Amino acid sequence: MNWAQVERRAMVEAMRREGPDAPTLCTGWATRDLAVHLLLRERRPDAAAGMFLPPLGAWTGRVTRSYAARDYDDLLDDVESGPPWFSLFALPDKYLNLAEMFVHHEDVLRGGADPTGPWTPRELAPGLSAALERPLKMMGRMTMGKSPARVTLRTPDGRDLLTVGSGEPVTVVGTVGELLLFAFGRAPVDVAFLGEPAAVALLSMARRSL
C-alpha cells in the first residue's frame, strides 16, 4: 500500500472506533458527515460540484442527505475501498489523496480536543513524513498565497520547506505533519512561531483553507 492507502485505512478504523456522531475538526461535521463528504468527493462529482457552484447547491443537498441516511458501517466500507476506477481521484492515488486522508484522519483523532491546545501529536513514520512534504508545498501555496505575513514553514531540524505570502516575516516551526495541518487551518496543532507578535497575530487570524 502507498501512504495514502495506509492513512485511509487508519482513518476508517478511527471513524469506526469513534462512531457516527463523534466530533471532528471540520466545523459542524460529525464523523458521519465526514464519511459522506469523502464519498461525494470520490464517487459523485455531480454533487461535489455544488460545494463550489451555488446553482447546484440544491442537488448537492439531496445527494448528501441520501448518503447520510445510509448505514454508517456501509458508508465506511465504501470509504475504505477507495475511489472507483473511473474517479478522478483513483490515479495517481498517492498524489491526489495523501493530504486529504492524512488531514481527515487527524480531524477524527483531534475532534474532541481543546482547539487552544496543547496537543501531543502522534509520531509519524519517517516515510510518511517524507511523503507529506510534496502536498505540503503544493497545498501551502494555495491556502496561504494571500497570507498577510510572509510565511516560512520550517522543520525542527532547520529545513525551510516553503515561503509564501507577503508582509512581515513569520516562521512557523513544526514537523511536516503539523505544518500541513496548520496550512489547512486546523487547530490544535503543535507548532511554534518566530516573528513580531503583531505579524504572528495576523497570520493566526487569517483564513487558511481552499
Side-chain angles (χ1 to χ4, degrees), residues 11-92:
M11 175 192 66
V12 170
E13 288 177 358
M15 295 171 81
R16 291 190 194 280
R17 183 174 63 249
E18 296 297 325
D21 301 313
T24 74
L25 292 187
C26 300
T27 303
W29 282 3
T31 41
R32 179 186 296 275
D33 303 304
L34 180 54
V36 170
H37 160 75
L38 291 168
L39 290 176
L40 264 59
R41 172 182 179 268
E42 296 183 342
R43 296 168 179 249
R44 295 297 302 265
D46 59 317
M51 301 175 189
F52 309 99
L53 301 173
L56 297 178
W59 173 245
T60 298
R62 286 196 293 272
V63 177
T64 298
R65 289 189 292 273
S66 69
Y67 271 76
R70 291 176 51 192
D71 177 78
Y72 181 64
D73 286 330
D74 288 345
L75 290 175
L76 295 186
D77 287 344
D78 284 349
V79 172
E80 187 169 15
S81 70
W85 64 269
F86 57 81
S87 171
L88 168 67
F89 297 99
L91 293 172

Side-chain angles (χ1 to χ4, degrees), residues 100-124:
E100 184 86 1
M101 296 303 117
F102 174 79
V103 171
H104 285 320
H105 184 193
E106 293 295 331
D107 286 336
V108 176
L109 295 178
R110 307 184 191 202
D114 182 349
T116 62
W119 174 260
T120 301
R122 61 185 167 121
E123 185 173 347
L124 304 184

Side-chain angles (χ1 to χ4, degrees), residues 53-199:
L53 301 173
L56 297 178
W59 173 245
T60 298
R62 286 196 293 272
V63 177
T64 298
R65 289 189 292 273
S66 69
Y67 271 76
R70 291 176 51 192
D71 177 78
Y72 181 64
D73 286 330
D74 288 345
L75 290 175
L76 295 186
D77 287 344
D78 284 349
V79 172
E80 187 169 15
S81 70
W85 64 269
F86 57 81
S87 171
L88 168 67
F89 297 99
L91 293 172
D93 177 73
K94 64 181 181 179
Y95 296 131
L96 293 181
N97 291 319
L98 177 54
E100 184 86 1
M101 296 303 117
F102 174 79
V103 171
H104 285 320
H105 184 193
E106 293 295 331
D107 286 336
V108 176
L109 295 178
R110 307 184 191 202
D114 182 349
T116 62
W119 174 260
T120 301
R122 61 185 167 121
E123 185 173 347
L124 304 184
L128 175 56
S129 292
L132 289 171
E133 289 191 17
R134 177 172 178 159
L136 169 61
K137 294 173 183 178
M138 180 179 67
M139 302 307 298
R141 291 187 181 95
M142 297 173 66
T143 63
M144 298 188 295
K146 297 181 180 180
S147 170
R150 184 69 172 166
V151 185
T152 296
L153 301 182
R154 178 177 297 168
T155 62
D157 60 0
R159 291 186 303 125
D160 290 347
L161 301 179
L162 175 67
T163 298
V164 68
S166 60
E168 293 294 320
V170 175
T171 300
V172 186
V173 182
T175 63
V176 177
E178 296 303 294
L179 292 175
L180 180 61
L181 290 165
F182 175 81
F184 271 86
R186 298 307 203 261
V189 292
D190 183 20
V191 297
F193 299 95
L194 304 175
E196 292 296 323

